[in-house]
């Protein structure tokens, strides 16, 4: 494993890189308030690939967006484009978890020529709103804009931060430790989170379901959806999205939202098999 920096026209993003530099390119995209370290447990299963796990802007070791900027889901799509250009990759296999899977689906529809395959871990595209929820979302966003910024809490020890994350997630202590250690910043009297507090801002606009279905109909890449059971709110009632995929399949995995960290051997092997299957198919055409 090595830490790399990707300089883009907008900002500098950090990433972790594993495997063979000349191997099959795989870009891994983490979930909200996670970071690149969430892919560390399954990285050994992909050691013959050129695996790069990105820290989204505002997360991990990547720079924050400008103070006046916001973290719209769709804006992360441009970060994928910038990362691929910085890596010198014309195309790659995308693997996304949660937020990362949602953004990966948008990018796969917007730039199909750059995507060889798409793997979505416990998410099937972006969260959608009903049309009659539009005004309520605008009001929620306005309230979050006008509210007092969250106080930046200081912790005496990193272990306290790990315990705080465990209290609000399904992560095991080992998995939480991996993520938290890449999300802390030492300060004079202890430690604080390194992520951008603006990540908590409530977006004023979500896609509606018809828009998401149109996005899924335009995903050309072979797609594997790995979904945790029991189904989470990120996957529930998504049968229409699966049917909209031209080349998609879903596999159910018993576990929680971070099952790729809790069952890395199983999930890493499954993703490796899927990517090799698609690469072989491309080579034969």
């Amino acid at each position: 494993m090595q830490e790399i920096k990707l300089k883009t026209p907008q900002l500098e993003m950090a990433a972790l890189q594993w495997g063979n530099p000349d191997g099959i390119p795989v870009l891994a995209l983490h979930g909200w308030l996670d970071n690149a370290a969430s892919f560390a447990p399954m990285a050994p299963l992909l050691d013959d690939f050129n695996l790069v796990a990105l820290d989204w802007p505002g997360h991990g070791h990547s720079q924050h967006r400008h103070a006046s900027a916001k973290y719209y889901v769709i804006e992360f799509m441009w970060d994928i484009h910038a990362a691929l250009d910085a890596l010198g990759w014309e195309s790659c296999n995308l693997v996304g978890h949660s937020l990362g899977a949602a953004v990966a689906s948008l990018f796969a529809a917007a730039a199909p020529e750059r995507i060889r395959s798409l793997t979505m871990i416990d998410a099937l595209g972006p969260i959608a709103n009903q049309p009659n929820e539009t005004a309520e979302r605008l009001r929620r966003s306005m309230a979050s804009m006008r509210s007092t910024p969250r106080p930046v809490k200081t912790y005496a020890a990193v272990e306290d931060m790990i315990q705080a994350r465990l209290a609000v997630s399904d992560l095991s202590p080992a998995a939480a430790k991996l993520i938290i250690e890449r999300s802390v910043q030492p300060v004079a009297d202890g430690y604080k989170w390194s992520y951008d507090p603006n990540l908590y801002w409530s977006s004023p606009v979500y896609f509606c379901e018809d828009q998401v279905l149109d996005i899924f109909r335009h995903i050309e890449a072979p797609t594997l959806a790995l979904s945790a059971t029991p189904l989470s709110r990120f996957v529930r009632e998504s049968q229409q999205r699966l049917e909209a995929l031209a080349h998609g399949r879903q596999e159910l995995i018993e576990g929680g939202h971070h099952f790729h960290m809790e069952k890395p051997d199983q999930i890493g092997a499954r993703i490796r098999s899927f990517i090799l299957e698609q690469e072989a198919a491309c080579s034969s055409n």
Side-chain angles (χ1 to χ4, degrees):
M1 183 186 75
Q2 63 173 336
E3 176 108 16
I4 61 174
K5 300 292 185 181
L6 303 178
K7 297 184 183 299
T8 78
Q10 290 75 37
L11 45 69
E12 184 177 85
M13 289 184 283
L16 294 175
Q17 186 173 33
W18 294 270
N20 178 5
D22 298 319
I24 295 169
V26 178
L27 185 64
L29 309 168
H30 64 80
W32 182 66
L33 297 187
D34 288 347
N35 53 58
S38 64
F39 293 99
M42 72 177 191
L45 278 296
L46 308 175
D47 62 355
D48 52 342
F49 295 166
N50 185 359
L51 173 62
V52 173
L54 192 66
D55 280 338
W56 287 124
H59 295 76
H61 294 173
S62 286
Q63 289 183 336
H64 296 181
R65 300 201 195 283
H66 187 273
S68 64
K70 303 301 179 187
Y71 289 86
Y72 291 97
V73 168
I74 200 166
E75 289 194 354
F76 289 110
M77 184 178 73
W78 310 117
D79 297 319
I80 299 177
H81 171 76
L84 291 180
D85 284 353
L87 288 164
W89 293 358
E90 292 186 7
S91 64
C92 74
N93 297 274
L94 271 186
V95 176
H97 169 244
S98 196
L99 168 67
V103 182
S105 69
L106 302 180
F107 188 80
E113 72 283 356
R114 305 201 77 173
I115 305 304
R116 302 185 193 181
S117 75
L118 170 63
T119 300
M120 295 186 287
I121 301 173
D122 212 36
L124 284 169
I127 297 173
N129 266 174
Q130 297 297 325
N132 63 0
E133 296 173 320
T134 303
E136 176 57 31
R137 175 139 296 281
L138 289 174
R139 292 176 179 180
R140 191 181 305 172
S141 179
M142 183 63 70
S144 74
M145 177 73 74
R146 298 175 66 183
S147 64
T148 303
R150 284 171 172 257
V152 178
K153 183 176 180 180
T154 299
Y155 295 80
V158 173
E159 181 59 33
D160 296 334
M161 304 174 82
I162 295 172
Q163 293 304 316
R165 181 63 186 265
L166 289 174
V168 295
S169 74
D170 64 349
L171 289 165
S172 69
K177 185 174 186 289
L178 273 175
I179 291 176
I180 299 309
E181 287 182 341
R182 195 172 172 82
S183 296
V184 302
Q185 179 180 343
V187 292
D189 51 350
Y191 300 88
K192 68 176 184 178
W193 301 110
S194 63
Y195 57 73
D196 191 340
N198 279 342
L199 288 164
Y200 282 101
W201 177 72
S202 182
S203 176
V205 178
Y206 277 13
F207 292 108
C208 69
E209 188 62 24
D210 284 346
Q211 290 176 306
V212 177
L213 289 174
D214 182 64
I215 289 166
F216 270 53
R217 282 191 287 268
H218 286 83
I219 295 175
E220 300 175 10
T223 301
L224 173 64
L226 298 173
S227 305
T229 57
L231 297 178
S232 71
R233 65 187 180 94
F234 305 108
V235 178
R236 202 177 299 123
E237 299 178 0
S238 56
Q239 189 59 39
Q240 279 187 298
R241 297 188 186 189
L242 290 169
E243 293 172 354
L245 292 169
H247 310 286
R249 70 183 85 158
Q250 182 185 44
E251 295 182 13
L252 302 180
I253 310 293
E254 184 177 352
H257 186 52
H258 288 81
F259 63 81
H260 64 304
M261 298 188 74
E262 308 299 348
K263 299 183 175 182
D265 291 350
Q266 178 184 351
I267 304 307
R270 185 65 199 91
I271 292 173
R272 182 178 186 278
S273 175
F274 174 69
I275 290 175
L276 289 177
E277 176 187 339
Q278 308 318 315
E279 291 286 327
C282 288
S283 299
S284 63
N285 291 337

